[in-house]
Amino acid sequence: MPPHPELLLMLLADARLPAAGHTQSGTAEAALAHGLAAAELPGYVSARLASVTCVEAGTAVVARAVLLRSGGTAQLADVAAAWAARTPSPALREAARVQARALLRLADRLWPEAGALQAVRELIRPCRAVVLGAVAAHVGLGAAALARLVGYDDVQTVCAAALKLVPMDPAVVTGWVHDALPDIDQLAATVAELTEPASIPAVGSPQIEAWAQAHAATSRRLFRA
Amino acid sequence: MHTSTPTITRNAARVARTRIRVSPGSGNERCRVRTAVSRSDPAAAALRPVLVHHDATVARVSLVPDGALLVAGDGIEVDVTVDAGAWLDLIEPGGTVAYDMRGGHASWDVRIQLGAGARLTWAGRPFVVSAGADVGRSTVAQLADGAYLALRETVVLGRDGEWPGTLRQRITVERDGHPVLVEDLPLGPWPTSGLIGKHRVLASVLCIGAPVGADVESIGRLDLDDGGVMWRRLGVQAHETTLDTAWQVARGAVAPP
């Protein structure tokens, strides 16, 4: 019997997953270095959910949909191209591709038989959202659950990184995550029904992109991105 | 692959469409410039294309506002076509102000089609979205392989000392039917609009199709995945947020040698 989808979701959302999550701050390190106050992080998280994270979640959902209707590498490449056109910052693209490599290595180990992952492997430098979409297609994770995973992971990434950068009460920060849950649900509702690359949300954040670029150029950093 | 972002339908009360088409002249003749303005209502404000200069290489056209722009109910449409081998240099005599619309809205939609080897340089001036304004602004650019585009845009949220107005700005650039840049920026006075941080001015310069050296003008530079460069600058004052050097680089790269 295949494992319950809830258990697979827990596995994929777990920060202990060896998929390079600990190297990421969701650009929070750069934001804090450029004057964002720790108290503004809840607003920062919500701006991400409305912009760059919405692009990631939409990309993952569409990649899953494409693979479930037996799309191959060519169709998946269209999804990856739509994501790249919606991600103008080279630093953010690089971070997503580095994470994709780690996640793909792990997925190969866990699901060596997955045909969906074969299509991803044939892409040149896939992004993380496409790999997640392929994993979801293989393990039977639904579109809304996949979108929630992307949103939740992003919020936790920012908040966990913030705790390492600014002395704070972890319970307060967990409260921020809790308070962002309705926004994550809204994000999932926005993207869950998407099936076409052209329909992937394209909301950008010039501020987050500028911070991400500045962060990539500095050597004084704890997190990679 | 179909990637076009549909133009926002705003049901503007008065639509004014400006069409410009530039084709190369035969031999050493001057290039051919056709312009037209059509209005759904004789009172509609429009952008009037004024031919400033044209020779065998370039047509320079100024987009001159005809009437008070931009107020509630205005629908401005600009269709620009540059045929293979021609160069259109678009200029604007001044910036545009979108005024308080008191619950109404306005739209500003640009469609660009560039043939193989066609060049468009468009030095947009600041677009100011006053408090109370509500504007949908879209740019859809479809480039054939080998077309060149340099585009400058500056949006300013609110006049000096004013609350920001509401702006939904979308841009789609495709080359040979493939997406190069797709961006949607819903900006406005709401508190969670952290998309541009604590700034009110967003300046952009886009350069597609022409090579730009990897070490040229690195400040604010975003190298797009499928080729092309976008420079971005966020600021508080429009006169300090200009990207002049990036514009010189982009325009120089797109202009014929």
Side-chain angles (χ1 to χ4, degrees), chain B residues 216-253:
Chain B
V216 175
E217 192 55 10
S218 61
I219 299 165
R221 173 173 170 158
L222 301 169
D223 283 79
L224 304 178
D225 203 54
D226 195 30
V229 178
M230 177 163 66
W231 286 271
R232 272 274 160 81
R233 188 157 174 198
L234 291 162
V236 175
Q237 298 296 336
H239 65 271
E240 293 168 356
T241 316
T242 55
L243 285 174
D244 284 336
T245 311
W247 173 246
Q248 294 311 322
V249 169
R251 193 180 186 285

PDB file of all heavy atoms in Angstrom, chain B residues 216-253:
ATOM      1  N   VAL B 216      29.355  45.352 -18.401  1.00  0.00           N
ATOM      2  CA  VAL B 216      28.895  46.712 -18.661  1.00  0.00           C
ATOM      3  C   VAL B 216      27.749  47.060 -17.711  1.00  0.00           C
ATOM      4  O   VAL B 216      26.784  46.307 -17.591  1.00  0.00           O
ATOM      5  CB  VAL B 216      28.410  46.832 -20.130  1.00  0.00           C
ATOM      6  CG1 VAL B 216      27.807  48.212 -20.386  1.00  0.00           C
ATOM      7  CG2 VAL B 216      29.552  46.566 -21.089  1.00  0.00           C
ATOM      8  N   GLU B 217      27.878  48.181 -17.026  1.00  0.00           N
ATOM      9  CA  GLU B 217      26.795  48.744 -16.191  1.00  0.00           C
ATOM     10  C   GLU B 217      26.156  47.677 -15.293  1.00  0.00           C
ATOM     11  O   GLU B 217      25.037  47.214 -15.533  1.00  0.00           O
ATOM     12  CB  GLU B 217      25.742  49.418 -17.089  1.00  0.00           C
ATOM     13  CG  GLU B 217      24.725  50.274 -16.361  1.00  0.00           C
ATOM     14  CD  GLU B 217      25.333  51.379 -15.482  1.00  0.00           C
ATOM     15  OE1 GLU B 217      26.557  51.627 -15.576  1.00  0.00           O
ATOM     16  OE2 GLU B 217      24.583  51.967 -14.702  1.00  0.00           O
ATOM     17  N   SER B 218      26.890  47.301 -14.243  1.00  0.00           N
ATOM     18  CA  SER B 218      26.419  46.199 -13.393  1.00  0.00           C
ATOM     19  C   SER B 218      25.392  46.640 -12.347  1.00  0.00           C
ATOM     20  O   SER B 218      24.683  45.804 -11.791  1.00  0.00           O
ATOM     21  CB  SER B 218      27.616  45.536 -12.707  1.00  0.00           C
ATOM     22  OG  SER B 218      28.267  46.499 -11.899  1.00  0.00           O
ATOM     23  N   ILE B 219      25.292  47.943 -12.092  1.00  0.00           N
ATOM     24  CA  ILE B 219      24.374  48.396 -11.033  1.00  0.00           C
ATOM     25  C   ILE B 219      22.924  48.194 -11.463  1.00  0.00           C
ATOM     26  O   ILE B 219      22.494  48.705 -12.497  1.00  0.00           O
ATOM     27  CB  ILE B 219      24.625  49.884 -10.698  1.00  0.00           C
ATOM     28  CG1 ILE B 219      26.060  50.067 -10.192  1.00  0.00           C
ATOM     29  CG2 ILE B 219      23.617  50.387  -9.666  1.00  0.00           C
ATOM     30  CD1 ILE B 219      26.520  51.499 -10.179  1.00  0.00           C
ATOM     31  N   GLY B 220      22.201  47.438 -10.667  1.00  0.00           N
ATOM     32  CA  GLY B 220      20.781  47.203 -10.943  1.00  0.00           C
ATOM     33  C   GLY B 220      20.536  46.303 -12.128  1.00  0.00           C
ATOM     34  O   GLY B 220      19.405  46.214 -12.619  1.00  0.00           O
ATOM     35  N   ARG B 221      21.567  45.614 -12.571  1.00  0.00           N
ATOM     36  CA  ARG B 221      21.444  44.825 -13.795  1.00  0.00           C
ATOM     37  C   ARG B 221      20.904  43.427 -13.515  1.00  0.00           C
ATOM     38  O   ARG B 221      21.409  42.715 -12.644  1.00  0.00           O
ATOM     39  CB  ARG B 221      22.821  44.732 -14.460  1.00  0.00           C
ATOM     40  CG  ARG B 221      22.848  43.794 -15.647  1.00  0.00           C
ATOM     41  CD  ARG B 221      24.183  43.863 -16.365  1.00  0.00           C
ATOM     42  NE  ARG B 221      24.280  42.792 -17.337  1.00  0.00           N
ATOM     43  CZ  ARG B 221      25.083  42.809 -18.392  1.00  0.00           C
ATOM     44  NH1 ARG B 221      25.876  43.850 -18.606  1.00  0.00           N
ATOM     45  NH2 ARG B 221      25.112  41.800 -19.226  1.00  0.00           N
ATOM     46  N   LEU B 222      19.909  43.023 -14.273  1.00  0.00           N
ATOM     47  CA  LEU B 222      19.355  41.676 -14.196  1.00  0.00           C
ATOM     48  C   LEU B 222      19.483  41.045 -15.577  1.00  0.00           C
ATOM     49  O   LEU B 222      18.843  41.490 -16.533  1.00  0.00           O
ATOM     50  CB  LEU B 222      17.873  41.724 -13.800  1.00  0.00           C
ATOM     51  CG  LEU B 222      17.532  42.397 -12.461  1.00  0.00           C
ATOM     52  CD1 LEU B 222      16.031  42.612 -12.333  1.00  0.00           C
ATOM     53  CD2 LEU B 222      18.040  41.551 -11.298  1.00  0.00           C
ATOM     54  N   ASP B 223      20.325  40.037 -15.682  1.00  0.00           N
ATOM     55  CA  ASP B 223      20.458  39.327 -16.960  1.00  0.00           C
ATOM     56  C   ASP B 223      19.340  38.297 -17.044  1.00  0.00           C
ATOM     57  O   ASP B 223      19.239  37.413 -16.201  1.00  0.00           O
ATOM     58  CB  ASP B 223      21.829  38.652 -17.050  1.00  0.00           C
ATOM     59  CG  ASP B 223      22.925  39.666 -17.364  1.00  0.00           C
ATOM     60  OD1 ASP B 223      23.352  40.361 -16.430  1.00  0.00           O
ATOM     61  OD2 ASP B 223      23.318  39.767 -18.541  1.00  0.00           O
ATOM     62  N   LEU B 224      18.495  38.426 -18.041  1.00  0.00           N
ATOM     63  CA  LEU B 224      17.353  37.525 -18.172  1.00  0.00           C
ATOM     64  C   LEU B 224      17.831  36.161 -18.649  1.00  0.00           C
ATOM     65  O   LEU B 224      18.904  36.026 -19.245  1.00  0.00           O
ATOM     66  CB  LEU B 224      16.323  38.120 -19.131  1.00  0.00           C
ATOM     67  CG  LEU B 224      15.827  39.519 -18.739  1.00  0.00           C
ATOM     68  CD1 LEU B 224      14.843  40.051 -19.769  1.00  0.00           C
ATOM     69  CD2 LEU B 224      15.203  39.524 -17.349  1.00  0.00           C
ATOM     70  N   ASP B 225      17.006  35.147 -18.388  1.00  0.00           N
ATOM     71  CA  ASP B 225      17.455  33.782 -18.648  1.00  0.00           C
ATOM     72  C   ASP B 225      17.603  33.489 -20.137  1.00  0.00           C
ATOM     73  O   ASP B 225      18.486  32.758 -20.558  1.00  0.00           O
ATOM     74  CB  ASP B 225      16.454  32.794 -18.029  1.00  0.00           C
ATOM     75  CG  ASP B 225      17.093  31.439 -17.754  1.00  0.00           C
ATOM     76  OD1 ASP B 225      18.129  31.420 -17.077  1.00  0.00           O
ATOM     77  OD2 ASP B 225      16.561  30.427 -18.222  1.00  0.00           O
ATOM     78  N   ASP B 226      16.709  34.079 -20.915  1.00  0.00           N
ATOM     79  CA  ASP B 226      16.694  33.756 -22.340  1.00  0.00           C
ATOM     80  C   ASP B 226      17.369  34.857 -23.158  1.00  0.00           C
ATOM     81  O   ASP B 226      16.999  35.124 -24.297  1.00  0.00           O
ATOM     82  CB  ASP B 226      15.238  33.564 -22.786  1.00  0.00           C
ATOM     83  CG  ASP B 226      15.149  32.875 -24.139  1.00  0.00           C
ATOM     84  OD1 ASP B 226      16.051  32.079 -24.456  1.00  0.00           O
ATOM     85  OD2 ASP B 226      14.209  33.157 -24.891  1.00  0.00           O
ATOM     86  N   GLY B 227      18.348  35.501 -22.567  1.00  0.00           N
ATOM     87  CA  GLY B 227      19.034  36.600 -23.247  1.00  0.00           C
ATOM     88  C   GLY B 227      18.332  37.910 -22.957  1.00  0.00           C
ATOM     89  O   GLY B 227      17.161  37.944 -22.600  1.00  0.00           O
ATOM     90  N   GLY B 228      19.049  38.994 -23.109  1.00  0.00           N
ATOM     91  CA  GLY B 228      18.478  40.293 -22.804  1.00  0.00           C
ATOM     92  C   GLY B 228      18.812  40.705 -21.384  1.00  0.00           C
ATOM     93  O   GLY B 228      19.158  39.879 -20.532  1.00  0.00           O
ATOM     94  N   VAL B 229      18.731  41.998 -21.164  1.00  0.00           N
ATOM     95  CA  VAL B 229      19.089  42.563 -19.866  1.00  0.00           C
ATOM     96  C   VAL B 229      18.001  43.536 -19.446  1.00  0.00           C
ATOM     97  O   VAL B 229      17.455  44.277 -20.270  1.00  0.00           O
ATOM     98  CB  VAL B 229      20.439  43.324 -19.951  1.00  0.00           C
ATOM     99  CG1 VAL B 229      20.788  43.962 -18.606  1.00  0.00           C
ATOM    100  CG2 VAL B 229      21.573  42.390 -20.391  1.00  0.00           C
ATOM    101  N   MET B 230      17.677  43.508 -18.155  1.00  0.00           N
ATOM    102  CA  MET B 230      16.820  44.542 -17.590  1.00  0.00           C
ATOM    103  C   MET B 230      17.590  45.212 -16.472  1.00  0.00           C
ATOM    104  O   MET B 230      18.196  44.532 -15.644  1.00  0.00           O
ATOM    105  CB  MET B 230      15.523  43.927 -17.052  1.00  0.00           C
ATOM    106  CG  MET B 230      14.623  44.958 -16.386  1.00  0.00           C
ATOM    107  SD  MET B 230      12.905  44.408 -16.174  1.00  0.00           S
ATOM    108  CE  MET B 230      13.094  43.073 -15.003  1.00  0.00           C
ATOM    109  N   TRP B 231      17.608  46.539 -16.492  1.00  0.00           N
ATOM    110  CA  TRP B 231      18.165  47.274 -15.367  1.00  0.00           C
ATOM    111  C   TRP B 231      17.001  47.823 -14.554  1.00  0.00           C
ATOM    112  O   TRP B 231      15.997  48.279 -15.120  1.00  0.00           O
ATOM    113  CB  TRP B 231      19.027  48.448 -15.836  1.00  0.00           C
ATOM    114  CG  TRP B 231      20.354  48.055 -16.383  1.00  0.00           C
ATOM    115  CD1 TRP B 231      21.520  47.904 -15.689  1.00  0.00           C
ATOM    116  CD2 TRP B 231      20.684  47.789 -17.764  1.00  0.00           C
ATOM    117  NE1 TRP B 231      22.539  47.562 -16.544  1.00  0.00           N
ATOM    118  CE2 TRP B 231      22.063  47.494 -17.809  1.00  0.00           C
ATOM    119  CE3 TRP B 231      19.950  47.777 -18.947  1.00  0.00           C
ATOM    120  CZ2 TRP B 231      22.720  47.187 -19.003  1.00  0.00           C
ATOM    121  CZ3 TRP B 231      20.589  47.469 -20.133  1.00  0.00           C
ATOM    122  CH2 TRP B 231      21.957  47.176 -20.156  1.00  0.00           C
ATOM    123  N   ARG B 232      17.174  47.804 -13.258  1.00  0.00           N
ATOM    124  CA  ARG B 232      16.112  48.265 -12.371  1.00  0.00           C
ATOM    125  C   ARG B 232      16.695  49.206 -11.340  1.00  0.00           C
ATOM    126  O   ARG B 232      17.809  49.004 -10.856  1.00  0.00           O
ATOM    127  CB  ARG B 232      15.513  47.059 -11.619  1.00  0.00           C
ATOM    128  CG  ARG B 232      14.371  46.372 -12.365  1.00  0.00           C
ATOM    129  CD  ARG B 232      13.101  47.078 -12.050  1.00  0.00           C
ATOM    130  NE  ARG B 232      12.003  46.889 -12.975  1.00  0.00           N
ATOM    131  CZ  ARG B 232      11.173  45.849 -13.003  1.00  0.00           C
ATOM    132  NH1 ARG B 232      11.354  44.847 -12.193  1.00  0.00           N
ATOM    133  NH2 ARG B 232      10.160  45.834 -13.831  1.00  0.00           N
ATOM    134  N   ARG B 233      15.923  50.226 -11.005  1.00  0.00           N
ATOM    135  CA  ARG B 233      16.334  51.064  -9.886  1.00  0.00           C
ATOM    136  C   ARG B 233      15.106  51.505  -9.127  1.00  0.00           C
ATOM    137  O   ARG B 233      14.116  51.929  -9.716  1.00  0.00           O
ATOM    138  CB  ARG B 233      17.120  52.271 -10.394  1.00  0.00           C
ATOM    139  CG  ARG B 233      17.721  53.030  -9.259  1.00  0.00           C
ATOM    140  CD  ARG B 233      18.909  53.865  -9.680  1.00  0.00           C
ATOM    141  NE  ARG B 233      19.331  54.666  -8.531  1.00  0.00           N
ATOM    142  CZ  ARG B 233      20.087  55.725  -8.618  1.00  0.00           C
ATOM    143  NH1 ARG B 233      20.536  56.126  -9.777  1.00  0.00           N
ATOM    144  NH2 ARG B 233      20.417  56.397  -7.535  1.00  0.00           N
ATOM    145  N   LEU B 234      15.180  51.387  -7.811  1.00  0.00           N
ATOM    146  CA  LEU B 234      14.096  51.825  -6.938  1.00  0.00           C
ATOM    147  C   LEU B 234      14.537  53.099  -6.252  1.00  0.00           C
ATOM    148  O   LEU B 234      15.703  53.228  -5.873  1.00  0.00           O
ATOM    149  CB  LEU B 234      13.823  50.756  -5.880  1.00  0.00           C
ATOM    150  CG  LEU B 234      13.210  49.451  -6.391  1.00  0.00           C
ATOM    151  CD1 LEU B 234      13.391  48.339  -5.363  1.00  0.00           C
ATOM    152  CD2 LEU B 234      11.739  49.652  -6.697  1.00  0.00           C
ATOM    153  N   GLY B 235      13.628  54.033  -6.088  1.00  0.00           N
ATOM    154  CA  GLY B 235      14.001  55.269  -5.428  1.00  0.00           C
ATOM    155  C   GLY B 235      12.819  55.973  -4.831  1.00  0.00           C
ATOM    156  O   GLY B 235      11.679  55.505  -4.896  1.00  0.00           O
ATOM    157  N   VAL B 236      13.121  57.109  -4.238  1.00  0.00           N
ATOM    158  CA  VAL B 236      12.070  57.909  -3.617  1.00  0.00           C
ATOM    159  C   VAL B 236      11.768  59.132  -4.476  1.00  0.00           C
ATOM    160  O   VAL B 236      10.618  59.551  -4.597  1.00  0.00           O
ATOM    161  CB  VAL B 236      12.501  58.309  -2.181  1.00  0.00           C
ATOM    162  CG1 VAL B 236      11.485  59.249  -1.552  1.00  0.00           C
ATOM    163  CG2 VAL B 236      12.660  57.062  -1.307  1.00  0.00           C
ATOM    164  N   GLN B 237      12.787  59.689  -5.112  1.00  0.00           N
ATOM    165  CA  GLN B 237      12.605  60.861  -5.968  1.00  0.00           C
ATOM    166  C   GLN B 237      12.828  60.469  -7.435  1.00  0.00           C
ATOM    167  O   GLN B 237      13.813  59.818  -7.758  1.00  0.00           O
ATOM    168  CB  GLN B 237      13.606  61.957  -5.597  1.00  0.00           C
ATOM    169  CG  GLN B 237      13.448  62.482  -4.175  1.00  0.00           C
ATOM    170  CD  GLN B 237      12.114  63.159  -3.943  1.00  0.00           C
ATOM    171  OE1 GLN B 237      11.465  63.642  -4.880  1.00  0.00           O
ATOM    172  NE2 GLN B 237      11.666  63.188  -2.693  1.00  0.00           N
ATOM    173  N   ALA B 238      11.928  60.923  -8.310  1.00  0.00           N
ATOM    174  CA  ALA B 238      12.039  60.549  -9.721  1.00  0.00           C
ATOM    175  C   ALA B 238      13.352  61.058 -10.326  1.00  0.00           C
ATOM    176  O   ALA B 238      14.000  60.344 -11.093  1.00  0.00           O
ATOM    177  CB  ALA B 238      10.849  61.095 -10.497  1.00  0.00           C
ATOM    178  N   HIS B 239      13.764  62.283  -9.969  1.00  0.00           N
ATOM    179  CA  HIS B 239      14.963  62.834 -10.605  1.00  0.00           C
ATOM    180  C   HIS B 239      16.238  62.127 -10.144  1.00  0.00           C
ATOM    181  O   HIS B 239      17.286  62.283 -10.751  1.00  0.00           O
ATOM    182  CB  HIS B 239      15.051  64.352 -10.377  1.00  0.00           C
ATOM    183  CG  HIS B 239      15.232  64.731  -8.941  1.00  0.00           C
ATOM    184  ND1 HIS B 239      14.162  64.942  -8.105  1.00  0.00           N
ATOM    185  CD2 HIS B 239      16.340  64.929  -8.192  1.00  0.00           C
ATOM    186  CE1 HIS B 239      14.616  65.263  -6.905  1.00  0.00           C
ATOM    187  NE2 HIS B 239      15.934  65.253  -6.931  1.00  0.00           N
ATOM    188  N   GLU B 240      16.134  61.345  -9.033  1.00  0.00           N
ATOM    189  CA  GLU B 240      17.310  60.602  -8.578  1.00  0.00           C
ATOM    190  C   GLU B 240      17.263  59.144  -9.031  1.00  0.00           C
ATOM    191  O   GLU B 240      18.143  58.361  -8.701  1.00  0.00           O
ATOM    192  CB  GLU B 240      17.373  60.615  -7.036  1.00  0.00           C
ATOM    193  CG  GLU B 240      17.641  61.977  -6.455  1.00  0.00           C
ATOM    194  CD  GLU B 240      17.392  62.002  -4.942  1.00  0.00           C
ATOM    195  OE1 GLU B 240      16.948  60.982  -4.380  1.00  0.00           O
ATOM    196  OE2 GLU B 240      17.632  63.061  -4.366  1.00  0.00           O
ATOM    197  N   THR B 241      16.212  58.769  -9.736  1.00  0.00           N
ATOM    198  CA  THR B 241      15.987  57.357 -10.066  1.00  0.00           C
ATOM    199  C   THR B 241      15.857  57.256 -11.577  1.00  0.00           C
ATOM    200  O   THR B 241      14.787  56.994 -12.113  1.00  0.00           O
ATOM    201  CB  THR B 241      14.699  56.856  -9.361  1.00  0.00           C
ATOM    202  OG1 THR B 241      14.685  57.337  -8.022  1.00  0.00           O
ATOM    203  CG2 THR B 241      14.633  55.341  -9.338  1.00  0.00           C
ATOM    204  N   THR B 242      16.948  57.482 -12.287  1.00  0.00           N
ATOM    205  CA  THR B 242      16.809  57.713 -13.720  1.00  0.00           C
ATOM    206  C   THR B 242      17.397  56.628 -14.620  1.00  0.00           C
ATOM    207  O   THR B 242      16.955  56.487 -15.743  1.00  0.00           O
ATOM    208  CB  THR B 242      17.482  59.046 -14.098  1.00  0.00           C
ATOM    209  OG1 THR B 242      18.823  59.004 -13.638  1.00  0.00           O
ATOM    210  CG2 THR B 242      16.750  60.212 -13.481  1.00  0.00           C
ATOM    211  N   LEU B 243      18.391  55.897 -14.182  1.00  0.00           N
ATOM    212  CA  LEU B 243      19.030  54.877 -15.022  1.00  0.00           C
ATOM    213  C   LEU B 243      19.551  55.442 -16.351  1.00  0.00           C
ATOM    214  O   LEU B 243      19.468  54.782 -17.388  1.00  0.00           O
ATOM    215  CB  LEU B 243      18.052  53.724 -15.305  1.00  0.00           C
ATOM    216  CG  LEU B 243      17.785  52.739 -14.160  1.00  0.00           C
ATOM    217  CD1 LEU B 243      16.696  51.753 -14.576  1.00  0.00           C
ATOM    218  CD2 LEU B 243      19.036  51.962 -13.774  1.00  0.00           C
ATOM    219  N   ASP B 244      20.087  56.649 -16.313  1.00  0.00           N
ATOM    220  CA  ASP B 244      20.554  57.290 -17.556  1.00  0.00           C
ATOM    221  C   ASP B 244      21.653  56.485 -18.247  1.00  0.00           C
ATOM    222  O   ASP B 244      21.633  56.332 -19.467  1.00  0.00           O
ATOM    223  CB  ASP B 244      21.067  58.709 -17.267  1.00  0.00           C
ATOM    224  CG  ASP B 244      19.913  59.672 -17.054  1.00  0.00           C
ATOM    225  OD1 ASP B 244      18.797  59.374 -17.558  1.00  0.00           O
ATOM    226  OD2 ASP B 244      20.113  60.698 -16.381  1.00  0.00           O
ATOM    227  N   THR B 245      22.614  55.990 -17.456  1.00  0.00           N
ATOM    228  CA  THR B 245      23.717  55.252 -18.079  1.00  0.00           C
ATOM    229  C   THR B 245      23.219  53.962 -18.716  1.00  0.00           C
ATOM    230  O   THR B 245      23.595  53.631 -19.845  1.00  0.00           O
ATOM    231  CB  THR B 245      24.804  54.927 -17.028  1.00  0.00           C
ATOM    232  OG1 THR B 245      25.103  56.130 -16.318  1.00  0.00           O
ATOM    233  CG2 THR B 245      26.051  54.388 -17.679  1.00  0.00           C
ATOM    234  N   ALA B 246      22.353  53.252 -17.983  1.00  0.00           N
ATOM    235  CA  ALA B 246      21.810  52.002 -18.528  1.00  0.00           C
ATOM    236  C   ALA B 246      21.042  52.292 -19.824  1.00  0.00           C
ATOM    237  O   ALA B 246      21.126  51.520 -20.804  1.00  0.00           O
ATOM    238  CB  ALA B 246      20.891  51.332 -17.509  1.00  0.00           C
ATOM    239  N   TRP B 247      20.309  53.408 -19.848  1.00  0.00           N
ATOM    240  CA  TRP B 247      19.565  53.727 -21.061  1.00  0.00           C
ATOM    241  C   TRP B 247      20.513  54.003 -22.228  1.00  0.00           C
ATOM    242  O   TRP B 247      20.277  53.551 -23.353  1.00  0.00           O
ATOM    243  CB  TRP B 247      18.609  54.912 -20.827  1.00  0.00           C
ATOM    244  CG  TRP B 247      17.969  55.342 -22.097  1.00  0.00           C
ATOM    245  CD1 TRP B 247      18.137  56.518 -22.752  1.00  0.00           C
ATOM    246  CD2 TRP B 247      17.070  54.561 -22.916  1.00  0.00           C
ATOM    247  NE1 TRP B 247      17.412  56.533 -23.920  1.00  0.00           N
ATOM    248  CE2 TRP B 247      16.749  55.354 -24.044  1.00  0.00           C
ATOM    249  CE3 TRP B 247      16.522  53.287 -22.806  1.00  0.00           C
ATOM    250  CZ2 TRP B 247      15.906  54.888 -25.052  1.00  0.00           C
ATOM    251  CZ3 TRP B 247      15.686  52.834 -23.806  1.00  0.00           C
ATOM    252  CH2 TRP B 247      15.379  53.627 -24.911  1.00  0.00           C
ATOM    253  N   GLN B 248      21.593  54.720 -21.955  1.00  0.00           N
ATOM    254  CA  GLN B 248      22.574  54.984 -23.027  1.00  0.00           C
ATOM    255  C   GLN B 248      23.142  53.664 -23.562  1.00  0.00           C
ATOM    256  O   GLN B 248      23.317  53.493 -24.767  1.00  0.00           O
ATOM    257  CB  GLN B 248      23.720  55.872 -22.523  1.00  0.00           C
ATOM    258  CG  GLN B 248      23.302  57.298 -22.151  1.00  0.00           C
ATOM    259  CD  GLN B 248      22.468  57.981 -23.233  1.00  0.00           C
ATOM    260  OE1 GLN B 248      22.724  57.804 -24.428  1.00  0.00           O
ATOM    261  NE2 GLN B 248      21.451  58.728 -22.832  1.00  0.00           N
ATOM    262  N   VAL B 249      23.422  52.736 -22.643  1.00  0.00           N
ATOM    263  CA  VAL B 249      23.968  51.431 -23.036  1.00  0.00           C
ATOM    264  C   VAL B 249      22.949  50.689 -23.906  1.00  0.00           C
ATOM    265  O   VAL B 249      23.262  50.175 -24.987  1.00  0.00           O
ATOM    266  CB  VAL B 249      24.337  50.588 -21.792  1.00  0.00           C
ATOM    267  CG1 VAL B 249      24.634  49.142 -22.184  1.00  0.00           C
ATOM    268  CG2 VAL B 249      25.522  51.204 -21.060  1.00  0.00           C
ATOM    269  N   ALA B 250      21.703  50.636 -23.435  1.00  0.00           N
ATOM    270  CA  ALA B 250      20.677  49.869 -24.151  1.00  0.00           C
ATOM    271  C   ALA B 250      20.381  50.490 -25.509  1.00  0.00           C
ATOM    272  O   ALA B 250      20.307  49.792 -26.531  1.00  0.00           O
ATOM    273  CB  ALA B 250      19.403  49.812 -23.300  1.00  0.00           C
ATOM    274  N   ARG B 251      20.239  51.798 -25.519  1.00  0.00           N
ATOM    275  CA  ARG B 251      19.922  52.472 -26.779  1.00  0.00           C
ATOM    276  C   ARG B 251      21.074  52.317 -27.769  1.00  0.00           C
ATOM    277  O   ARG B 251      20.861  52.058 -28.959  1.00  0.00           O
ATOM    278  CB  ARG B 251      19.643  53.954 -26.521  1.00  0.00           C
ATOM    279  CG  ARG B 251      18.996  54.655 -27.706  1.00  0.00           C
ATOM    280  CD  ARG B 251      18.744  56.129 -27.402  1.00  0.00           C
ATOM    281  NE  ARG B 251      18.008  56.746 -28.495  1.00  0.00           N
ATOM    282  CZ  ARG B 251      18.530  57.075 -29.667  1.00  0.00           C
ATOM    283  NH1 ARG B 251      19.821  56.849 -29.886  1.00  0.00           N
ATOM    284  NH2 ARG B 251      17.797  57.617 -30.619  1.00  0.00           N
ATOM    285  N   GLY B 252      22.294  52.436 -27.237  1.00  0.00           N
ATOM    286  CA  GLY B 252      23.468  52.281 -28.094  1.00  0.00           C
ATOM    287  C   GLY B 252      23.572  50.870 -28.662  1.00  0.00           C
ATOM    288  O   GLY B 252      23.987  50.669 -29.810  1.00  0.00           O
ATOM    289  N   ALA B 253      23.176  49.879 -27.851  1.00  0.00           N
ATOM    290  CA  ALA B 253      23.274  48.496 -28.315  1.00  0.00           C
ATOM    291  C   ALA B 253      22.238  48.202 -29.396  1.00  0.00           C
ATOM    292  O   ALA B 253      22.484  47.407 -30.311  1.00  0.00           O
ATOM    293  CB  ALA B 253      23.080  47.544 -27.129  1.00  0.00           C
TER     294      ALA B 253
END
